[in-house]
Amino acid sequence: MSPAKCSVARRIGLRRRALRTALVLPAVGFAACTGESFGPLTGFSNCSLPLTNFTDAGVERSSIPALTNPEVATRLIAPHVGYVNRSDLVIGLEFNGQPLAIPLKLLWYHEVLNLQADVDSTVAGATGERLTVTYSPLTGSVSVFDPEPSGTPDFAVSSYVLDNNLVMDDGSGTLYPQLTRSATCGPQDGISLTRVPYELMVYGAWLQVFQDTWIATRVTGHDFLYTLYPYGNYRDPDNASLFYPTSAPIDLRRRPKERVVGVPSGTGGYAFAISDLREVAARDQEGQNFTVWAASARVGGEPVVAFWNSIAQSARIYRARVNGRSLTFEVVDGRRQDVETGSVWNFGGEAVVGPLDGERLEPHPESYHAFWFAWAAFQPDTEVWVPPIPLTGSADFVPADDATLLPPDPDLLRRRPR
């Protein structure tokens, strides 16, 4: 493999020319690319992380182009939203009062998406809402940030990675690794970004919750084939191949690229494997059209709970406290209940039956999804949820390419708008 082709393949898998011919490279290890000048970051000062932790990815800044205020459309507009199937994972959020879905397949190619709402010119001192939506394909990690502390209008994809993770660049020479959520090199070293809660679920489930949703279209000004995953078999749960060096060996407690969702706490925290949540719910509610689960834990002394829903094919973590009262959860007859009052809770974190009817749990703002190897690399002292019954180790979910229709799910449909 030529040096130029290898450097691009590492980040985007033979982008433009190869994608036009639908050629996809298998994931390659760092040693597969030889004779190149990839190596530690140099030329920076004022870094709170050692320079040796970073890797020069061998690509120019913004060679993976971030998007700013991409074109959006209602779910009924075709063909520009026809590239998204109901079974595709989307990052769901509310921006400027409007539900918005960002397909993960769009961020395979862009990694950073900057949103800036229009400012009301009639209001003195008004500033439009801003969000930075990020996905790092090499670490499978999702985070949404309020970029205000950085002072930058738009983040870009830098020339560097940190333990294979996306490193953002604010244009001032300051680097922001996605999974540290703070500036770690450059003039603004130490400035922290605020994580914003988000949803990660299949598009069909998001549509059940927000039928009036908008969605980012494929009209981006770039000619990427967004329906094609560009990293070959890289995301297979058992695939231990990585594109760049890591500062520590892969943690062997879980499969390298299992999807997990967790809450960090210092160098520790708590992680829930998506495949375990799926399987324990399926076993408990065998034969049901959809299954749910609730897994309680404590992170740094704080009670949290992970809610799983099989139609969403995802889990969301909440702070398990209402009106100052800590709650623990169990599943009885296919319904999530808190042990303390017996109230029933839906996937949106709202009590829908019982003494706490109408109360809501707060989505944990620090929680995020990632591949296991990346979660453990950034949270090496993490705890891992252990299911209450032995599991067989089923294969992790990989989003399908078909437009599978999903049955109505009361656990989603009972959810009240935020």
Side-chain angles (χ1 to χ4, degrees), residues 32-205:
C33 297
T34 58
E36 300 188 47
S37 59
F38 301 105
L41 179 150
T42 60
F44 279 82
S45 59
N46 195 33
C47 293
S48 54
L49 287 179
L51 294 179
T52 54
N53 287 20
F54 292 84
T55 301
D56 184 335
V59 294
E60 296 296 325
R61 178 182 185 267
S62 295
S63 62
I64 293 178
L67 295 178
T68 296
N69 287 342
E71 179 180 294
V72 298
T74 70
R75 64 187 179 91
L76 300 178
I77 300 298
H80 299 320
V81 298
Y83 76 109
V84 184
N85 298 322
R86 286 176 174 264
S87 52
D88 289 336
L89 285 172
V90 298
I91 299 169
L93 46 88
E94 290 191 39
F95 178 70
N96 203 30
Q98 172 65 48
L100 176 63
I102 309 296
L104 223 56
K105 57 174 52 173
L106 194 71
L107 293 179
W108 292 341
Y109 294 85
H110 297 285
E111 303 192 17
V112 174
L113 187 150
N114 300 291
L115 296 171
Q116 169 75 61
D118 292 335
V119 178
D120 187 344
S121 59
T122 66
V123 179
T127 58
E129 183 180 1
R130 295 171 57 205
L131 288 178
T132 298
V133 183
T134 65
Y135 177 67
S136 176
L138 300 188
T139 51
S141 48
V142 178
S143 280
V144 179
F145 299 105
D146 176 354
E148 187 61 32
S150 70
T152 185
D154 298 308
F155 279 106
V157 180
S158 77
S159 304
Y160 310 100
V161 294
L162 176 64
D163 282 335
N164 285 267
N165 183 232
L166 160 70
V167 176
M168 299 183 294
D169 181 334
D170 68 356
S172 74
T174 302
L175 301 180
Y176 297 76
Q178 180 206 42
L179 291 183
T180 68
R181 91 179 196 288
S182 63
T184 53
C185 261
Q188 302 207 74
D189 179 33
I191 289 179
S192 294
L193 303 178
T194 302
R195 280 198 179 108
V196 176
Y198 63 87
E199 308 275 6
L200 180 67
M201 62 175 69
V202 296
Y203 184 46

Side-chain angles (χ1 to χ4, degrees), residues 384-412:
V384 182
W385 179 65
V386 178
I389 56 176
L391 303 180
T392 60
S394 62
D396 203 359
F397 169 76
V398 175
D401 292 327
D402 61 13
T404 305
L405 294 176
L406 302 170
D409 179 356
D411 190 47
L412 294 170

